[in-house]
Amino acid sequence: MDIGWIISLIVTGIWIIVILMIVIPMDRKYIVRENRKINYKKTKILLRWNVFDTLTLIVAIYTIICVQALNFLLSSGETIENPFVQFFTNQSQAWVIVTICYLVSRVTMTLKAIKAHMKDATNENE
């Protein structure tokens, strides 16, 4: 492995540690679980902007910067032997996958929460 890949792995490790340090306490504090399943009716944080979303926005902006830097390097004639190309290639791939996975899970959880609240609202109307 070249130096760009090694530095990218270190940076990814640091990002993951920071993300987990933010996400785990927020999850334990605001997500209501019953029998190890999320109770969407009692969990209100899924229906508003929260720290999870801010963190995802920061990661998405970082990903865009990495992709643009990679584009600039490749268009200026650099090859994969360049450590910066290696770094930005690895970072771009990793964080695009993470951002898309979070987006899909966030939309799914939000729709489940809306469905649970709508069931509750229709039960109250009857």
Side-chain angles (χ1 to χ4, degrees):
M1 273 199 249
D2 290 329
I3 191 76
W5 293 103
I6 294 170
I7 292 172
S8 181
L9 291 174
I10 292 168
V11 170
T12 301
I14 292 169
W15 265 102
I16 289 172
I17 290 169
V18 169
I19 289 170
L20 291 177
M21 286 174 51
I22 294 170
V23 169
I24 290 173
M26 290 294 294
D27 183 71
R28 289 184 179 166
K29 185 176 181 181
Y30 292 108
I31 305 295
V32 179
R33 297 184 190 279
E34 294 174 353
N35 298 327
R36 295 186 181 214
K37 291 188 176 184
I38 297 174
N39 184 338
Y40 291 101
K41 194 180 295 183
K42 293 181 182 177
T43 303
K44 306 290 184 198
I45 195 166
L46 297 175
L47 297 174
R48 62 178 187 247
W49 188 269
N50 56 52
V51 174
F52 303 120
D53 300 322
T54 304
L55 187 62
T56 303
L57 182 64
I58 292 168
V59 170
I61 291 169
Y62 176 73
T63 304
I64 291 168
I65 292 168
C66 287
V67 169
Q68 292 303 319
L70 179 62
N71 185 28
F72 175 75
L73 288 170
L74 292 176
S75 64
S76 65
E78 297 296 335
T79 63
I80 195 66
E81 284 82 25
N82 185 322
F84 292 110
V85 172
Q86 295 169 10
F87 174 81
F88 289 122
T89 300
N90 197 12
Q91 291 293 295
S92 299
Q93 290 173 352
W95 297 113
V96 164
I97 293 168
V98 169
T99 304
I100 290 172
C101 289
Y102 179 77
L103 175 67
V104 169
S105 68
R106 175 71 169 138
V107 168
T108 303
M109 288 189 295
T110 302
L111 291 175
K112 286 180 181 180
I114 290 170
K115 183 179 176 183
H117 285 277
M118 287 185 71
K119 273 186 184 177
D120 192 36
T122 57
N123 289 342
E124 289 176 3
N125 291 339
E126 293 178 1

